[in-house]
Amino acid sequence: MFIPYFPKYPLNQYVKMIWYHNATVSYEKERILPTGTVELIINLGSPTQVFLDNGIQVNKEFWVCGMHTGSILHQPIAETHMIGVSFKPFGALPFLKVPMSELKNSLVNLELIWGNEPFELKQQLLAQKSVRDHFLTVETFLTAKLSNRQNHFAAIIAWLDLQLSSSREVHLEDLYQKIGYSKRHIIQEFRKFVGLTPKDLKQIYRFNDALKAIDPNQINWTSLALTCDYYDQAHFNNQFKNFSGLTPSEYVQFRNQFLNTPSQGEDVHFVPVS
């Protein structure tokens, strides 16, 4: 069971959604693909494992997942029961108060950032009886952490993200000129707010467009590549492998095998692999 909740103003300026997930999966491992969001997760059930280059990381309580440019190999253990916050690309910094560049391609224990607050929040959630109460508790908690004093560059970063997400044909150099700051300074601030460069985020948005466009019942890879603004199928294949760790055909094969041929656009960031 996956339930999304869309918070009200002012939180909706920073948070894409708050979500609740409670299910038992039928597979052992999955790849989680880049979403273009920063994820804050509070675990209400069994621990989960993430396979990193330097070993296995066990996540028990709560963690924040920074912007990723590659897939995360994840192993749910028993029942998956958690509540999470999907921040907009620029939205996490005002709450975490940590440069997002430090969280790039990382999963960090939230206790290291917020001290005892995550423990207190989790205890409140465990005492709640309804999913709606879970959502309202998290919404209230985050709203209280939001300061009225914002970095003057925040509005510029939000505008730049809007341009990148709304049009794949936009040219970064044109956007830099409209903003009026030097390219170097804009990229530096963007990394602090988002964790990636504008070019990286633009590529992730295009990758997500491609994931949503894949119809597992009828695929023309060349047509899809051109529709999603890739130079050609070879360029598409290369970018797809970089972001997912899989070829496009492997992506479809695994999802059809474990998810019983999901419909187009369904849970596109999750790929069971064993």
Side-chain angles (χ1 to χ4, degrees), residues 213-221 252 256 260-264 266:
I214 294 174
D215 182 349
N217 298 306
Q218 185 177 5
I219 306 172
N220 183 322
W221 292 119
V252 172
N256 285 348
N260 297 320
T261 312
S263 59
Q264 181 177 352
E266 180 184 355

Side-chain angles (χ1 to χ4, degrees), residues 73-252:
L73 186 57
H74 174 247
Q75 182 177 30
I77 301 176
E79 180 187 38
T80 300
H81 188 198
M82 55 185 61
I83 188 165
V85 179
S86 297
F87 288 99
K88 295 180 179 181
F90 55 86
L93 179 64
F95 300 90
L96 300 179
K97 304 293 192 299
V98 175
M100 291 297 102
S101 55
E102 296 183 9
L103 302 182
K104 177 183 176 183
N105 291 326
S106 298
L107 279 78
V108 178
N109 189 326
L110 199 53
E111 182 185 4
L112 299 177
I113 300 175
W114 280 347
N116 288 327
E117 287 183 302
F119 289 99
E120 298 169 0
L121 176 59
K122 181 173 180 177
Q123 290 307 310
Q124 292 180 48
L125 292 171
L126 290 173
Q128 303 292 347
K129 295 183 178 180
S130 72
V131 176
R132 176 169 175 75
D133 286 339
H134 281 71
F135 289 143
L136 295 178
T137 297
V138 174
E139 183 175 26
T140 300
F141 174 84
L142 290 177
T143 301
K145 292 189 73 65
L146 184 59
S147 171
N148 292 325
R149 298 180 59 186
Q150 298 295 328
N151 184 302
H152 76 282
F153 222 88
I156 295 176
I157 300 299
W159 176 84
L160 182 52
D161 172 61
L162 178 63
Q163 305 310 307
L164 295 176
S165 62
S166 60
S167 174
R168 301 296 169 260
E169 298 179 359
V170 68
H171 296 287
L172 288 173
E173 296 298 332
D174 294 340
L175 296 179
Y176 296 152
Q177 290 183 9
K178 289 181 180 180
I179 292 173
Y181 287 85
S182 71
K183 175 180 176 180
R184 179 178 180 181
H185 184 58
I186 294 170
I187 292 176
Q188 182 181 30
E189 289 293 317
F190 202 87
R191 280 189 173 131
K192 181 174 74 175
F193 275 86
V194 177
L196 306 174
T197 66
K199 181 180 179 180
D200 289 337
L201 185 59
K202 183 180 179 183
Q203 290 179 346
I204 288 177
Y205 279 141
R206 180 173 58 185
F207 171 66
N208 278 269
D209 285 346
L211 292 179
K212 294 171 186 175
I214 294 174
D215 182 349
N217 298 306
Q218 185 177 5
I219 306 172
N220 183 322
W221 292 119
T222 299
S223 176
L224 187 148
L226 296 177
T227 298
C228 294
D229 202 32
Y230 290 91
Y231 300 129
D232 51 32
Q233 187 176 343
H235 179 219
F236 168 69
N237 290 345
N238 183 59
Q239 290 266 300
F240 199 99
K241 185 68 176 287
N242 288 341
F243 282 128
S244 69
L246 304 167
T247 68
S249 296
E250 288 172 336
Y251 171 84
V252 172

